[in-house]
Amino acid sequence: LQQNSEAATMYGRLQQTFPNSTYVLAQLATAHYQMREFDESQACFEGLLKVDPYRLDHVDTYSNILYVKESKRALSYVAHNAVMIDKYRPETCCIIGNYYSLKAEHEKAVLYFQRALRLDRNYLSAWTLMGHEHVELKNTGAAIHAYRQAVDINSRDYRAWYALGQTYEILQMPFYSLFYYRKATALRPYDARMWSALAGCYKQLNRKAEAIRCYERAESNNDREGIALQELARLHHESGNDVQAANCYARNLARRDAQQLDSGADTIEALKFLADYCKRRGELEQAQQLCTRLLDCGGSQDVEEAKATLRDIRSQMGAGRT
């Protein structure tokens, strides 16, 4: 049902009653992983392995976290430990595949995912991860085959549907991507990444109204990457709705400030638009502050534009006093 937050809460309560239950701890770690709370999930898995150091069940999921966090040394240790426990388990092959993928040795990674599938043809994770490796090797045909195998095994696996959408997007086939992204959003309606991907397809097809609705859904579902707000601002600006565009740019700028992302293309774009918007509305002091900030983080061309705007603002302010 993809109700991972509720599941994590319930397993957290069960853990208080059964603190030594490896099953409860594994499920709690998996729930945090599904919610992309990687630090919490990693802590649960590390606690699980302390209680049961010879465990291999769910350790492949732990290796996914280490892969995402690029913890090469920790992943190497987990892989060596898995080989010592049982090198003929599909989970072990999957962990080794993740290790080689992190080292950018994608051919070796494919080899180990194939070994995992020889041991268990219905090993869903191996099909999906092998698809990712084929994408890295630019073998999109093999990637699509792997993802379709994953979907055939479990049609509720949103990762495979999402990956199919991404692969067809690489092939510049947006209508196919749209179909697969819709499947993914139906399975994960509370995942901002699914809505942002779907919105990107609509934008590519010049269906701006649908793109705006999807980006709004992404933003309402805690878009951690901040993609939705910036894209919403651009779409509103292109549609001639500068009030909404300014609101989105301002909110995204505040988010980036909170994350201490003081520079970057998105920050510069937001500052330039907001400075011009405030200047047009006669909010000259606010526009001056934005241009001054742009002097500190913009490129050479941006700095020259900001200086020109500042001269114009000061002349308007001077004229207003006379």
Side-chain angles (χ1 to χ4, degrees), residues 25 75 98 102 149 168 172 187 200 212 267 274 283-284 298 322:
L25 195 52
L75 184 52
N98 272 337
L102 188 56
Q149 290 292 323
Y168 279 109
Q172 297 182 345
L187 291 169
I212 287 171
T267 297
L274 289 169
E283 299 171 359
L284 299 180
T322 57

mmCIF file with all atom_site columns, all heavy atoms in Angstrom, residues 25 75 98 102 149 168 172 187 200 212 267 274 283-284 298 322:
data_model
loop_
_atom_site.group_PDB
_atom_site.id
_atom_site.type_symbol
_atom_site.label_atom_id
_atom_site.label_alt_id
_atom_site.label_comp_id
_atom_site.label_asym_id
_atom_site.label_entity_id
_atom_site.label_seq_id
_atom_site.pdbx_PDB_ins_code
_atom_site.Cartn_x
_atom_site.Cartn_y
_atom_site.Cartn_z
_atom_site.occupancy
_atom_site.B_iso_or_equiv
_atom_site.pdbx_formal_charge
_atom_site.auth_seq_id
_atom_site.auth_comp_id
_atom_site.auth_asym_id
_atom_site.auth_atom_id
_atom_site.pdbx_PDB_model_num
ATOM 1   N N   . LEU A 1 25  ? 13.076 -5.002  13.568  1.00 0.00 ? 25  LEU A N   1
ATOM 2   C CA  . LEU A 1 25  ? 14.132 -4.052  13.236  1.00 0.00 ? 25  LEU A CA  1
ATOM 3   C C   . LEU A 1 25  ? 14.379 -3.996  11.722  1.00 0.00 ? 25  LEU A C   1
ATOM 4   O O   . LEU A 1 25  ? 14.576 -2.918  11.147  1.00 0.00 ? 25  LEU A O   1
ATOM 5   C CB  . LEU A 1 25  ? 15.413 -4.426  13.970  1.00 0.00 ? 25  LEU A CB  1
ATOM 6   C CG  . LEU A 1 25  ? 16.529 -3.372  14.035  1.00 0.00 ? 25  LEU A CG  1
ATOM 7   C CD1 . LEU A 1 25  ? 15.999 -2.048  14.562  1.00 0.00 ? 25  LEU A CD1 1
ATOM 8   C CD2 . LEU A 1 25  ? 17.674 -3.866  14.899  1.00 0.00 ? 25  LEU A CD2 1
ATOM 9   N N   . LEU A 1 75  ? 30.744 -0.243  2.136   1.00 0.00 ? 75  LEU A N   1
ATOM 10  C CA  . LEU A 1 75  ? 30.152 -1.203  1.207   1.00 0.00 ? 75  LEU A CA  1
ATOM 11  C C   . LEU A 1 75  ? 31.125 -2.341  0.910   1.00 0.00 ? 75  LEU A C   1
ATOM 12  O O   . LEU A 1 75  ? 30.721 -3.505  0.795   1.00 0.00 ? 75  LEU A O   1
ATOM 13  C CB  . LEU A 1 75  ? 29.743 -0.491  -0.089  1.00 0.00 ? 75  LEU A CB  1
ATOM 14  C CG  . LEU A 1 75  ? 29.015 -1.325  -1.139  1.00 0.00 ? 75  LEU A CG  1
ATOM 15  C CD1 . LEU A 1 75  ? 27.827 -2.064  -0.555  1.00 0.00 ? 75  LEU A CD1 1
ATOM 16  C CD2 . LEU A 1 75  ? 28.572 -0.440  -2.298  1.00 0.00 ? 75  LEU A CD2 1
ATOM 17  N N   . ASN A 1 98  ? 26.533 -4.011  -6.377  1.00 0.00 ? 98  ASN A N   1
ATOM 18  C CA  . ASN A 1 98  ? 26.478 -2.612  -5.950  1.00 0.00 ? 98  ASN A CA  1
ATOM 19  C C   . ASN A 1 98  ? 27.881 -2.047  -5.725  1.00 0.00 ? 98  ASN A C   1
ATOM 20  O O   . ASN A 1 98  ? 28.169 -0.893  -6.063  1.00 0.00 ? 98  ASN A O   1
ATOM 21  C CB  . ASN A 1 98  ? 25.663 -2.488  -4.658  1.00 0.00 ? 98  ASN A CB  1
ATOM 22  C CG  . ASN A 1 98  ? 24.183 -2.295  -4.930  1.00 0.00 ? 98  ASN A CG  1
ATOM 23  O OD1 . ASN A 1 98  ? 23.786 -1.850  -5.996  1.00 0.00 ? 98  ASN A OD1 1
ATOM 24  N ND2 . ASN A 1 98  ? 23.356 -2.642  -3.956  1.00 0.00 ? 98  ASN A ND2 1
ATOM 25  N N   . LEU A 1 102 ? 29.481 1.100   -7.743  1.00 0.00 ? 102 LEU A N   1
ATOM 26  C CA  . LEU A 1 102 ? 30.000 2.298   -7.089  1.00 0.00 ? 102 LEU A CA  1
ATOM 27  C C   . LEU A 1 102 ? 31.416 2.617   -7.561  1.00 0.00 ? 102 LEU A C   1
ATOM 28  O O   . LEU A 1 102 ? 31.815 3.780   -7.616  1.00 0.00 ? 102 LEU A O   1
ATOM 29  C CB  . LEU A 1 102 ? 29.970 2.108   -5.568  1.00 0.00 ? 102 LEU A CB  1
ATOM 30  C CG  . LEU A 1 102 ? 30.296 3.328   -4.704  1.00 0.00 ? 102 LEU A CG  1
ATOM 31  C CD1 . LEU A 1 102 ? 29.371 4.496   -5.024  1.00 0.00 ? 102 LEU A CD1 1
ATOM 32  C CD2 . LEU A 1 102 ? 30.198 2.975   -3.225  1.00 0.00 ? 102 LEU A CD2 1
ATOM 33  N N   . GLN A 1 149 ? 11.117 -7.241  -16.945 1.00 0.00 ? 149 GLN A N   1
ATOM 34  C CA  . GLN A 1 149 ? 11.131 -8.464  -16.145 1.00 0.00 ? 149 GLN A CA  1
ATOM 35  C C   . GLN A 1 149 ? 10.739 -8.157  -14.701 1.00 0.00 ? 149 GLN A C   1
ATOM 36  O O   . GLN A 1 149 ? 9.987  -8.909  -14.068 1.00 0.00 ? 149 GLN A O   1
ATOM 37  C CB  . GLN A 1 149 ? 12.532 -9.097  -16.187 1.00 0.00 ? 149 GLN A CB  1
ATOM 38  C CG  . GLN A 1 149 ? 12.911 -9.705  -17.524 1.00 0.00 ? 149 GLN A CG  1
ATOM 39  C CD  . GLN A 1 149 ? 12.089 -10.948 -17.852 1.00 0.00 ? 149 GLN A CD  1
ATOM 40  O OE1 . GLN A 1 149 ? 11.766 -11.738 -16.988 1.00 0.00 ? 149 GLN A OE1 1
ATOM 41  N NE2 . GLN A 1 149 ? 11.749 -11.098 -19.124 1.00 0.00 ? 149 GLN A NE2 1
ATOM 42  N N   . TYR A 1 168 ? 12.933 5.617   -21.465 1.00 0.00 ? 168 TYR A N   1
ATOM 43  C CA  . TYR A 1 168 ? 12.285 6.128   -22.682 1.00 0.00 ? 168 TYR A CA  1
ATOM 44  C C   . TYR A 1 168 ? 12.492 7.630   -22.843 1.00 0.00 ? 168 TYR A C   1
ATOM 45  O O   . TYR A 1 168 ? 12.488 8.142   -23.967 1.00 0.00 ? 168 TYR A O   1
ATOM 46  C CB  . TYR A 1 168 ? 10.804 5.771   -22.677 1.00 0.00 ? 168 TYR A CB  1
ATOM 47  C CG  . TYR A 1 168 ? 10.552 4.354   -23.139 1.00 0.00 ? 168 TYR A CG  1
ATOM 48  C CD1 . TYR A 1 168 ? 10.139 3.359   -22.247 1.00 0.00 ? 168 TYR A CD1 1
ATOM 49  C CD2 . TYR A 1 168 ? 10.738 3.999   -24.473 1.00 0.00 ? 168 TYR A CD2 1
ATOM 50  C CE1 . TYR A 1 168 ? 9.930  2.055   -22.676 1.00 0.00 ? 168 TYR A CE1 1
ATOM 51  C CE2 . TYR A 1 168 ? 10.530 2.706   -24.908 1.00 0.00 ? 168 TYR A CE2 1
ATOM 52  C CZ  . TYR A 1 168 ? 10.119 1.737   -24.006 1.00 0.00 ? 168 TYR A CZ  1
ATOM 53  O OH  . TYR A 1 168 ? 9.924  0.451   -24.435 1.00 0.00 ? 168 TYR A OH  1
ATOM 54  N N   . GLN A 1 172 ? 14.198 9.777   -25.970 1.00 0.00 ? 172 GLN A N   1
ATOM 55  C CA  . GLN A 1 172 ? 13.385 10.889  -26.496 1.00 0.00 ? 172 GLN A CA  1
ATOM 56  C C   . GLN A 1 172 ? 12.047 10.390  -27.038 1.00 0.00 ? 172 GLN A C   1
ATOM 57  O O   . GLN A 1 172 ? 11.620 10.744  -28.146 1.00 0.00 ? 172 GLN A O   1
ATOM 58  C CB  . GLN A 1 172 ? 14.167 11.658  -27.563 1.00 0.00 ? 172 GLN A CB  1
ATOM 59  C CG  . GLN A 1 172 ? 15.429 12.309  -27.023 1.00 0.00 ? 172 GLN A CG  1
ATOM 60  C CD  . GLN A 1 172 ? 16.179 13.119  -28.061 1.00 0.00 ? 172 GLN A CD  1
ATOM 61  O OE1 . GLN A 1 172 ? 15.930 12.996  -29.267 1.00 0.00 ? 172 GLN A OE1 1
ATOM 62  N NE2 . GLN A 1 172 ? 17.099 13.950  -27.615 1.00 0.00 ? 172 GLN A NE2 1
ATOM 63  N N   . LEU A 1 187 ? 1.342  4.404   -8.096  1.00 0.00 ? 187 LEU A N   1
ATOM 64  C CA  . LEU A 1 187 ? 1.844  3.541   -7.023  1.00 0.00 ? 187 LEU A CA  1
ATOM 65  C C   . LEU A 1 187 ? 2.474  4.346   -5.891  1.00 0.00 ? 187 LEU A C   1
ATOM 66  O O   . LEU A 1 187 ? 2.473  3.902   -4.739  1.00 0.00 ? 187 LEU A O   1
ATOM 67  C CB  . LEU A 1 187 ? 2.880  2.558   -7.591  1.00 0.00 ? 187 LEU A CB  1
ATOM 68  C CG  . LEU A 1 187 ? 2.324  1.490   -8.534  1.00 0.00 ? 187 LEU A CG  1
ATOM 69  C CD1 . LEU A 1 187 ? 3.462  0.759   -9.239  1.00 0.00 ? 187 LEU A CD1 1
ATOM 70  C CD2 . LEU A 1 187 ? 1.459  0.484   -7.777  1.00 0.00 ? 187 LEU A CD2 1
ATOM 71  N N   . GLY A 1 200 ? 7.862  16.921  -15.996 1.00 0.00 ? 200 GLY A N   1
ATOM 72  C CA  . GLY A 1 200 ? 8.878  17.138  -17.016 1.00 0.00 ? 200 GLY A CA  1
ATOM 73  C C   . GLY A 1 200 ? 8.439  16.644  -18.389 1.00 0.00 ? 200 GLY A C   1
ATOM 74  O O   . GLY A 1 200 ? 8.719  17.279  -19.410 1.00 0.00 ? 200 GLY A O   1
ATOM 75  N N   . ILE A 1 212 ? 2.184  22.241  -14.677 1.00 0.00 ? 212 ILE A N   1
ATOM 76  C CA  . ILE A 1 212 ? 2.045  23.067  -13.471 1.00 0.00 ? 212 ILE A CA  1
ATOM 77  C C   . ILE A 1 212 ? 1.348  22.291  -12.370 1.00 0.00 ? 212 ILE A C   1
ATOM 78  O O   . ILE A 1 212 ? 1.783  22.302  -11.206 1.00 0.00 ? 212 ILE A O   1
ATOM 79  C CB  . ILE A 1 212 ? 1.286  24.374  -13.797 1.00 0.00 ? 212 ILE A CB  1
ATOM 80  C CG1 . ILE A 1 212 ? 2.193  25.319  -14.587 1.00 0.00 ? 212 ILE A CG1 1
ATOM 81  C CG2 . ILE A 1 212 ? 0.785  25.050  -12.522 1.00 0.00 ? 212 ILE A CG2 1
ATOM 82  C CD1 . ILE A 1 212 ? 1.489  26.538  -15.153 1.00 0.00 ? 212 ILE A CD1 1
ATOM 83  N N   . THR A 1 267 ? 19.763 30.118  -7.896  1.00 0.00 ? 267 THR A N   1
ATOM 84  C CA  . THR A 1 267 ? 19.774 31.325  -7.056  1.00 0.00 ? 267 THR A CA  1
ATOM 85  C C   . THR A 1 267 ? 19.908 32.577  -7.920  1.00 0.00 ? 267 THR A C   1
ATOM 86  O O   . THR A 1 267 ? 19.175 33.562  -7.723  1.00 0.00 ? 267 THR A O   1
ATOM 87  C CB  . THR A 1 267 ? 20.934 31.258  -6.046  1.00 0.00 ? 267 THR A CB  1
ATOM 88  O OG1 . THR A 1 267 ? 20.727 30.145  -5.177  1.00 0.00 ? 267 THR A OG1 1
ATOM 89  C CG2 . THR A 1 267 ? 21.009 32.529  -5.214  1.00 0.00 ? 267 THR A CG2 1
ATOM 90  N N   . LEU A 1 274 ? 13.444 38.372  -9.551  1.00 0.00 ? 274 LEU A N   1
ATOM 91  C CA  . LEU A 1 274 ? 12.827 39.109  -8.449  1.00 0.00 ? 274 LEU A CA  1
ATOM 92  C C   . LEU A 1 274 ? 13.271 40.567  -8.437  1.00 0.00 ? 274 LEU A C   1
ATOM 93  O O   . LEU A 1 274 ? 12.474 41.465  -8.114  1.00 0.00 ? 274 LEU A O   1
ATOM 94  C CB  . LEU A 1 274 ? 13.162 38.426  -7.118  1.00 0.00 ? 274 LEU A CB  1
ATOM 95  C CG  . LEU A 1 274 ? 12.456 37.088  -6.877  1.00 0.00 ? 274 LEU A CG  1
ATOM 96  C CD1 . LEU A 1 274 ? 13.048 36.378  -5.668  1.00 0.00 ? 274 LEU A CD1 1
ATOM 97  C CD2 . LEU A 1 274 ? 10.955 37.285  -6.692  1.00 0.00 ? 274 LEU A CD2 1
ATOM 98  N N   . GLU A 1 283 ? 9.045  48.706  -6.093  1.00 0.00 ? 283 GLU A N   1
ATOM 99  C CA  . GLU A 1 283 ? 9.627  48.329  -4.796  1.00 0.00 ? 283 GLU A CA  1
ATOM 100 C C   . GLU A 1 283 ? 11.149 48.432  -4.928  1.00 0.00 ? 283 GLU A C   1
ATOM 101 O O   . GLU A 1 283 ? 11.875 47.436  -4.990  1.00 0.00 ? 283 GLU A O   1
ATOM 102 C CB  . GLU A 1 283 ? 9.184  46.917  -4.407  1.00 0.00 ? 283 GLU A CB  1
ATOM 103 C CG  . GLU A 1 283 ? 7.672  46.781  -4.266  1.00 0.00 ? 283 GLU A CG  1
ATOM 104 C CD  . GLU A 1 283 ? 7.211  45.337  -4.100  1.00 0.00 ? 283 GLU A CD  1
ATOM 105 O OE1 . GLU A 1 283 ? 8.059  44.420  -4.118  1.00 0.00 ? 283 GLU A OE1 1
ATOM 106 O OE2 . GLU A 1 283 ? 5.992  45.119  -3.986  1.00 0.00 ? 283 GLU A OE2 1
ATOM 107 N N   . LEU A 1 284 ? 11.634 49.669  -4.979  1.00 0.00 ? 284 LEU A N   1
ATOM 108 C CA  . LEU A 1 284 ? 13.016 49.927  -5.373  1.00 0.00 ? 284 LEU A CA  1
ATOM 109 C C   . LEU A 1 284 ? 14.026 49.485  -4.322  1.00 0.00 ? 284 LEU A C   1
ATOM 110 O O   . LEU A 1 284 ? 15.119 49.018  -4.673  1.00 0.00 ? 284 LEU A O   1
ATOM 111 C CB  . LEU A 1 284 ? 13.185 51.420  -5.680  1.00 0.00 ? 284 LEU A CB  1
ATOM 112 C CG  . LEU A 1 284 ? 12.312 51.949  -6.837  1.00 0.00 ? 284 LEU A CG  1
ATOM 113 C CD1 . LEU A 1 284 ? 12.550 53.431  -7.052  1.00 0.00 ? 284 LEU A CD1 1
ATOM 114 C CD2 . LEU A 1 284 ? 12.575 51.178  -8.125  1.00 0.00 ? 284 LEU A CD2 1
ATOM 115 N N   . GLY A 1 298 ? 26.845 36.290  -8.680  1.00 0.00 ? 298 GLY A N   1
ATOM 116 C CA  . GLY A 1 298 ? 26.644 36.124  -10.115 1.00 0.00 ? 298 GLY A CA  1
ATOM 117 C C   . GLY A 1 298 ? 27.946 36.021  -10.889 1.00 0.00 ? 298 GLY A C   1
ATOM 118 O O   . GLY A 1 298 ? 29.025 36.333  -10.380 1.00 0.00 ? 298 GLY A O   1
ATOM 119 N N   . THR A 1 322 ? 13.254 64.342  -5.765  1.00 0.00 ? 322 THR A N   1
ATOM 120 C CA  . THR A 1 322 ? 13.238 65.739  -6.217  1.00 0.00 ? 322 THR A CA  1
ATOM 121 C C   . THR A 1 322 ? 11.836 66.172  -6.596  1.00 0.00 ? 322 THR A C   1
ATOM 122 O O   . THR A 1 322 ? 10.951 65.391  -6.821  1.00 0.00 ? 322 THR A O   1
ATOM 123 C CB  . THR A 1 322 ? 14.155 65.898  -7.449  1.00 0.00 ? 322 THR A CB  1
ATOM 124 O OG1 . THR A 1 322 ? 13.737 65.009  -8.476  1.00 0.00 ? 322 THR A OG1 1
ATOM 125 C CG2 . THR A 1 322 ? 15.591 65.610  -7.068  1.00 0.00 ? 322 THR A CG2 1
#
